Amino acid sequence: MEELLLRYDKEDENKRRFKSEPIELPRMMARQNLIYEYKNYTPKYGWMMMRDKLEELDKQGKLYFTKNGKPRRKNFLDEYSGSEADNIWLDITPVGQNQSEIIGYPTQKPEALLERIIKMATNEGDTVLDCFMGGGTTIAVADKLKRKWIGIDQSVHAVSVSEMRLNMQQGKAIGKTQDMFATPFVKKLYKYDYDMLRYKDAFQFETWIVEQFGGVANTKQRGDLGLDGYIKQPNLAGFENLQGLRTPIQVKRSDNIGRNVIDNFKSACERFDKLAYEKNKAENKPVGFIIAFSFGKGAVQEVARLKNDEKVIIKLLTVEEIVPIAKKPNLRVEMEAPQPPKGGETPEGVTINFVATAESEVGIEFFSWDFHYNGVDFTPEIMLDKAGKQSHQFKAGHHKIAVKVVDGEGLENVEVIDLKINGVVQRS
Ligand SMILES: C[S@@+](CC[C@H](N)C(=O)[O-])C[C@H]1O[C@@H](n2cnc3c(N)ncnc32)[C@H](O)[C@@H]1O
């Protein structure tokens, strides 16, 4: 819009904005029959139109006379119906220059950009899907434009930021009047299996949990001062070119986080980013975060002592405070003793009945069965078995059967059965 106002730089007596454009032909297009005098001016190579058209324009008040008395055509902004968008959009400014929109998400896109895309591609009531939601710009704009939406992100941090943003937009933030017509939405968080996290590769786990917390993970395996990442504080307006202050994060997998871990961490924080340390301390904010599955008494006491004696806050966070954790369903698969075929094993083999039973606090969704499991890829023949009961015929030989159960929160458990069939059925 600003660019348009620059181009339509004049105003007529009725305050209508317009720009003036030439109505004289250039030399290379000279037309003898269009060279005529109009209001004391005769163009050298001719007008762009016949006299009657020129008079018509004048009657409509659409001629503009320069200081030298040269007529030009007025093009009014309110009659401009726009132009087709090009494949490079320069009229939308990045969020960095539009401070009011900033939510602190690193790759945030401007709302005006998403507004254009959503309006181009959808109508009110349509559904917009963003499966890499990040700071939630797309879904927030979709919501404003009365579209239905689904937002997905692997990061709990991204989901929380988007949720807060929508709540603010819909007026659910404290101190705001709630928008009675706002469409309610639900947040569904995937739960993480405790054992899976606990025994995941250490470096992968550290990177992952730092990112879930909204931090930047250390990319080097041997991190700076044993730190695993940091939270970047947004820059102050006017200091955008400086690297933001960094508050360190350390991830510990052991259960015995004692006093010494806290003291070492405190001095690492001091050295990592002195400015951030001093600023956090002065503002009574944590100078660093330690993430672990649990903390020992020594650690908790030392954190309390540092706070009282030295006014230094170190925040202890359990993994469970960052990501929702659940126990995966338990699973047991029983076999019904096969009926011994009359007269010994038939060439077609034996039919075995399986019964799978599973328990989970949130209920069981279904079972899947792979009767030819290769030990690596689970490729089930039966995908959706609600009852957990199957019969299958086996020939003599070795067989691996994998049974998977999925619970109401999407957590899984698998049991693998090894069978040896040779006249008799043996399960090892
Ligand atoms: C570049 S950000 C999106 C920023 C967003 N356009 C905005 O304006 O705020 C990309 C997001 O994709 C998420 N992501 C990356 N891989 C993913 C995956 N496999 N499944 C779901 N989300 C994923 C990241 O967590 C990150 O939040």
Side-chain angles (χ1 to χ4, degrees):
M1 191 65 199
E2 274 168 39
E3 200 211 332
L4 271 184
L5 292 182
L6 284 178
R7 280 200 279 137
Y8 288 76
D9 56 344
K10 299 181 182 59
E11 256 180 15
D12 73 359
E13 56 286 359
N14 299 320
K15 298 238 167 283
R16 285 179 80 193
R17 270 194 109 86
F18 70 93
K19 64 176 176 182
S20 79
E21 289 194 334
I23 42 174
E24 265 183 73
L25 289 170
R27 182 177 171 183
M28 59 191 292
M29 295 171 77
R31 290 268 301 273
Q32 199 58 40
N33 65 331
L34 290 177
I35 302 177
Y36 55 88
E37 190 217 310
Y38 189 73
K39 295 210 167 159
N40 299 324
Y41 184 81
T42 312
K44 203 165 171 192
Y45 305 111
W47 298 101
M48 286 181 181
M49 62 203 84
M50 309 288 279
R51 183 182 289 275
D52 56 341
K53 181 84 194 293
L54 193 61
E55 282 171 357
E56 182 62 30
L57 279 183
D58 201 4
K59 236 189 269 164
Q60 290 173 351
K62 286 190 175 168
L63 283 191
Y64 167 78
F65 293 87
T66 64
K67 272 188 270 162
N68 308 329
K70 206 192 246 196
R72 286 165 70 90
R73 185 195 175 114
K74 285 180 187 168
N75 279 330
F76 289 102
L77 179 57
D78 56 17
E79 288 177 353
Y80 173 62
S81 57
S83 61
E84 250 179 50
D86 209 340
N87 57 359
I88 300 179
W89 298 349
L90 299 170
D91 56 329
I92 295 176
T93 43
V95 182
Q97 293 168 35
N98 186 359
Q99 296 287 332
S100 68
E101 263 184 45
I102 288 184
I103 55 164
Y105 205 86
T107 54
Q108 191 186 346
K109 303 291 173 295
E111 292 203 2
L113 175 69
L114 273 308
E115 184 176 331
R116 182 175 294 172
I117 296 170
I118 292 172
K119 280 184 173 165
M120 264 165 52
T122 64
N123 296 313
E124 271 189 27
D126 284 352
T127 304
V128 172
L129 167 70
D130 183 357
C131 33
F132 303 95
M133 176 171 66
T137 310
T138 309
I139 57 165
V141 176
D143 199 61
K144 270 191 200 165
L145 297 176
K146 301 199 168 30
R147 270 62 169 172
K148 295 179 202 135
W149 50 262
I150 300 168
I152 303 171
D153 204 290
Q154 63 172 2
S155 148
V156 174
H157 174 68
V159 175
S160 315
V161 169
S162 301
E163 183 191 18
M164 281 189 280
R165 179 172 185 173
L166 276 157
N167 280 339
M168 306 238 290
Q169 182 173 299
Q170 297 192 346
K172 283 187 217 139
I174 302 161
K176 274 194 157 192
T177 12
Q178 194 161 330
D179 176 0
M180 305 293 280
F181 300 103
T183 321
F185 63 91
V186 286
K187 173 175 85 173
K188 290 212 168 173
L189 278 184
Y190 177 83
K191 296 209 172 166
Y192 293 91
D193 171 36
Y194 181 86
D195 292 338
M196 187 270 287
L197 293 182
R198 190 78 226 228
Y199 304 110
K200 203 173 172 158
D201 166 81
F203 184 62
Q204 262 183 21
F205 173 73
E206 285 155 12
T207 306
W208 180 82
I209 196 76
V210 166
E211 283 170 2
Q212 295 301 313
F213 184 48
V216 180
N218 209 333
T219 45
K220 290 174 271 171
Q221 294 242 4
R222 288 171 168 273
D224 283 338
L225 308 161
L227 299 171
D228 300 300
Y230 56 87
I231 291 277
K232 195 170 174 175
Q233 296 178 4
N235 276 312
L236 301 173
F239 294 91
E240 285 81 6
N241 295 332
L242 292 178
Q243 189 182 37
L245 295 179
R246 297 173 307 155
T247 305
I249 305 171
Q250 189 164 63
V251 182
K252 289 280 175 195
R253 296 238 290 182
S254 101
D255 271 327
N256 303 318
I257 314 283
R259 196 188 149 148
N260 60 330
V261 170
I262 308 297
D263 293 336
N264 292 341
F265 179 63
K266 187 200 147 212
S267 45
C269 291
E270 275 184 274
R271 281 188 285 150
F272 181 68
D273 186 334
K274 186 113 188 97
L275 213 60
Y277 182 88
E278 295 301 342
K279 186 165 178 279
N280 285 329
K281 191 177 163 193
E283 292 175 0
N284 282 327
K285 288 184 180 155
V287 299
F289 301 88
I290 304 181
I291 302 171
F293 282 96
S294 65
F295 295 94
K297 210 168 154 192
V300 177
Q301 282 170 349
E302 182 62 2
V303 163
R305 187 195 68 77
L306 283 172
K307 190 174 172 195
N308 286 334
D309 298 356
E310 301 182 28
K311 305 278 172 268
V312 168
I313 301 175
I314 287 175
K315 179 97 179 132
L316 303 181
L317 283 162
T318 59
V319 173
E320 202 161 355
E321 286 174 89
I322 299 172
V323 290
I325 287 185
K327 278 246 163 264
K328 64 182 172 205
N330 63 22
L331 170 66
R332 209 172 45 254
V333 185
E334 311 274 7
M335 289 174 6
E336 274 177 20
Q339 300 299 315
K342 289 182 201 91
E345 194 189 333
T346 60
E348 295 83 49
V350 282
T351 300
I352 301 179
N353 298 325
F354 298 92
V355 179
T357 36
E359 282 142 25
S360 158
E361 278 177 11
V362 290
I364 298 300
E365 281 293 308
F366 61 89
F367 299 87
S368 305
W369 301 77
D370 181 353
F371 294 107
H372 304 95
Y373 183 53
N374 64 9
V376 186
D377 315 300
F378 183 72
T379 46
E381 281 100 340
I382 310 287
M383 296 245 246
L384 266 179
D385 166 19
K386 292 267 180 195
K389 287 193 177 139
Q390 291 296 323
S391 292
H392 196 82
Q393 207 178 53
F394 295 91
K395 292 197 170 147
H398 271 103
H399 299 275
K400 260 189 201 300
I401 299 116
V403 188
K404 182 184 271 190
V405 61
V406 178
D407 79 6
E409 280 168 342
L411 292 192
E412 308 174 342
N413 202 351
V414 176
E415 179 157 342
V416 177
I417 299 164
D418 273 300
L419 283 188
K420 204 166 150 193
I421 302 176
N422 184 12
V424 285
V425 177
Q426 279 179 293
R427 178 175 178 172
S428 53

